[in-house]
Amino acid sequence: MRYTDIAIIGGGLSGSIAAAMLGRAGISTVLIDPHESYPPDFRVEKLSGHVQVERFLKTGIAESVLRRATFAGENWIARFGRLLDKAPSRQFNILYDSLVNAVRDEIPATVERICAKALAVETSPERQKITLSNDETISARLVVLANGLNVGLRHQLGIAREVVSACHSISIGFDVVPAGRNSFDFPALTYFSERPSDCIPYITLFPIGTRMRANLFVYRGFDDPWLRQLRRAPAETLDAALPRLKRITGAFDIPGELKVRPVDLYVNDPRGQPGIVLVGDAFSTSCPVAGTGCDKVFTDVERLCNVYIPHWLSSDGMNAAKIAGFYADPVKQACDAWSAAKAFDFRSVSTATSPYWTAQRWARFIAWSAQGLLRPLGGAFDLEPNVLGHSSSSSSSSSRSSSSSSSPSLSSSA
Ligand SMILES: Cc1cc2nc3c(=O)[nH]c(=O)nc-3n(C[C@H](O)[C@H](O)[C@H](O)COP(=O)(O)OP(=O)(O)OC[C@H]3O[C@@H](n4cnc5c(N)ncnc54)[C@H](O)[C@@H]3O)c2cc1C
């Protein structure tokens, strides 16, 4: 039996950040994950907006991780085939496995990493016992459950799961290449849907290294024939859905495989459980359209590792009342509520046809257009960060940084 203060189950984004933070704080920690190196996986591919980046910076490990990303300092906003704005942006584009592996590189050697799967967890108000797939057993004062979408352990522990919205949205990731020329004109682009009946909130195109990635989001059932058609003939199906997109992008091909991921919105209720705390997707999921999943990950882990774990370890025991303080944290609760509301607002503003949501759609279009018109005059106003999705700009007063570079300034004034 190995003994530790903290055992983290899951070395994805949440678990790896937690391991890096706790290791740096000198807290005895073990990280358990079946993969030595995080494998390719379609998840977040872009950290963007002032708020999200600031949340990451609060964990203390963001700087060196973000330096591995491709930076886009300008994002074009378009709809109806019209370029509305060339907005300053703070986008850090990076594939998920590269992101997690960069975070893992920040974990100090003092954190023991075990390449295995946690098969069972027994909790109590004193010590927790974890049985691993390599026949080892770990005894910890606290288990941080950061095992993402994997429901097995939560089920075993009797943690109730509420599905808030099944197949709330579907994310589709693929590469695009310009046809008949070497490069695209835009540094990064967000193109909003043309009609509510398209069931497409937007498509976003952004560079990662020498590749141009596309993330397309749709509100459809997973068995919708449109998705089969998209897989069969991606360029043609996309063109039919967003016929004026090419006025902005120019002609392009879709050379490789499409990754299609449906997302259920759910929230777990771990209250009453001693000895274990849930973070990131293990606690609740978010809608990729709203782009808030990483805000939740960064907030959960930052509050847990900077505030709660040091406090909990300073007294005996690990009862449920102690742990309840984390779930009641006002910063965490505000972030979770904002993320959940944004998931539904985005769907309504993209697909609802009621007078209210039609007016909201036009208000956004007019706001982007006005901002685009005022920007060259130096009078652009701030659209509330994160209200308008991934493309939220950092600040209208921020100087326009190079459209795409690998060595951005990470300070908040960038
Ligand atoms: C398609 C898609 C697009 C997205 N786009 C965005 C976006 O644009 N912006 C944004 O902010 N968010 C986005 N998100 C959300 C974001 O990617 C997630 O919120 C985030 O990756 C969650 O990280 P995590 O560490 O909680 O889970 P994961 O990264 O899933 O980590 C879970 C880890 O647990 C390990 N594990 C599982 N079971 C066990 C076990 N029994 N024992 C040991 N280890 C185990 C796994 O191997 C894995 O390493 C997107 C999500 C998806 C699916």
Side-chain angles (χ1 to χ4, degrees):
M1 173 108 58
R2 292 196 211 198
Y3 289 83
T4 181
D5 279 339
I6 311 293
I8 302 169
I9 299 179
L13 189 59
S14 315
S16 299
I17 297 175
M21 291 179 74
L22 295 174
R24 286 179 179 194
I27 293 172
S28 150
T29 304
V30 167
L31 175 65
I32 304 151
D33 191 278
H35 301 108
E36 189 74 52
S37 170
Y38 197 92
D41 196 7
F42 177 37
R43 300 296 187 85
V44 59
E45 297 187 328
K46 167 167 90 174
L47 301 177
S48 64
H50 180 73
V51 174
Q52 189 169 72
V53 174
E54 286 302 315
R55 283 180 167 137
F56 194 17
L57 288 168
K58 278 191 185 163
T59 66
I61 59 148
E63 297 241 351
S64 50
V65 173
L66 292 179
R67 286 190 205 291
R68 305 224 200 147
T70 304
F71 181 67
E74 183 177 275
N75 187 50
W76 290 14
I77 311 293
R79 195 177 171 204
F80 299 130
R82 289 185 48 192
L83 177 61
L84 305 180
D85 191 14
K86 294 182 176 180
S89 75
R90 209 178 177 204
Q91 282 184 18
F92 294 86
N93 310 323
I94 184 166
L95 294 175
Y96 193 60
D97 55 324
S98 307
L99 173 66
V100 176
N101 288 323
V103 171
R104 286 186 180 185
D105 287 347
E106 299 302 308
I107 300 173
T110 49
V111 173
E112 200 172 348
R113 287 167 63 171
I114 302 178
C115 195
K117 207 169 168 184
L119 297 181
V121 181
E122 290 166 44
T123 59
S124 79
E126 290 303 324
R127 293 203 74 87
Q128 330 312 324
K129 186 176 153 197
I130 306 167
T131 308
L132 304 183
S133 55
N134 61 3
D135 292 333
E136 276 191 58
T137 313
I138 293 178
S139 170
R141 287 192 66 193
L142 175 73
V143 173
V144 176
L145 193 62
N147 66 344
L149 306 173
N150 196 332
V151 294
L153 291 175
R154 296 195 287 273
H155 189 68
Q156 196 186 91
L157 286 159
I159 294 173
R161 182 167 83 133
E162 183 197 349
V163 176
V164 181
S165 179
C167 196
H168 187 79
S169 65
I170 296 178
S171 308
I172 303 150
F174 51 92
D175 284 359
V176 292
V177 292
R181 61 206 197 286
N182 291 329
S183 60
F184 289 106
D185 291 339
F186 54 86
L189 169 72
T190 305
Y191 188 85
F192 288 93
S193 70
E194 299 188 9
R195 300 158 299 230
S197 58
D198 297 330
C199 304
I200 295 176
Y202 61 94
I203 182 172
T204 168
L205 284 79
F206 49 93
I208 298 186
T210 55
R211 297 159 70 177
M212 184 63 81
R213 283 294 284 170
N215 283 182
L216 169 69
F217 302 99
V218 298
Y219 297 112
R220 290 177 183 269
F222 197 52
D223 54 359
D224 192 313
W226 187 87
L227 287 171
R228 277 200 296 282
Q229 197 183 326
L230 183 74
R231 283 182 198 271
R232 236 188 348 259
E236 294 76 4
T237 310
L238 183 60
D239 199 30
L242 299 173
R244 288 175 279 191
L245 170 64
K246 282 194 176 151
R247 287 190 200 163
I248 308 292
T249 59
F252 60 83
D253 297 319
I254 300 176
E257 193 197 351
L258 272 69
K259 300 274 183 212
V260 180
R261 287 289 296 265
V263 166
D264 296 334
L265 298 186
Y266 64 73
V267 58
N268 291 294
D269 184 2
R271 284 170 301 171
Q273 290 274 344
I276 189 164
V277 63
L278 275 56
V279 292
D281 281 6
F283 177 73
S284 67
T285 49
S286 61
C287 178
V289 179
T292 55
C294 291
D295 293 85
K296 279 161 45 54
V297 165
F298 301 148
T299 301
D300 277 4
V301 177
E302 187 276 320
R303 302 308 292 162
L304 183 68
C305 298
N306 278 343
V307 180
Y308 292 94
I309 286 182
H311 179 60
W312 295 342
L313 291 179
S314 68
S315 60
D316 288 341
M318 204 56 76
N319 62 30
K322 236 176 170 178
I323 292 169
F326 168 73
Y327 300 119
D329 181 277
V331 179
K332 172 180 167 52
Q333 285 200 339
C335 183
D336 287 348
W338 162 78
S339 168
K342 201 171 165 197
F344 286 95
D345 284 356
F346 228 118
R347 192 158 76 170
S348 299
V349 83
S350 306
T351 60
T353 51
S354 67
Y356 174 79
W357 287 111
T358 304
Q360 286 286 323
R361 224 167 8 254
W362 281 105
R364 288 173 186 218
F365 178 70
I366 291 163
W368 283 122
S369 305
Q371 182 158 6
L373 288 172
L374 290 172
R375 193 174 303 285
L377 309 174
F381 50 89
D382 265 340
L383 293 175
E384 188 194 336
N386 288 308
V387 163
L388 295 157
H390 288 218
S391 49
S392 58
S393 60
S394 57
S395 156
S396 60
S397 59
S398 59
S399 61
R400 195 172 291 192
S401 39
S402 68
S403 59
S404 180
S405 89
S406 57
S407 55
S409 163
L410 298 175
S411 70
S412 51
S413 59

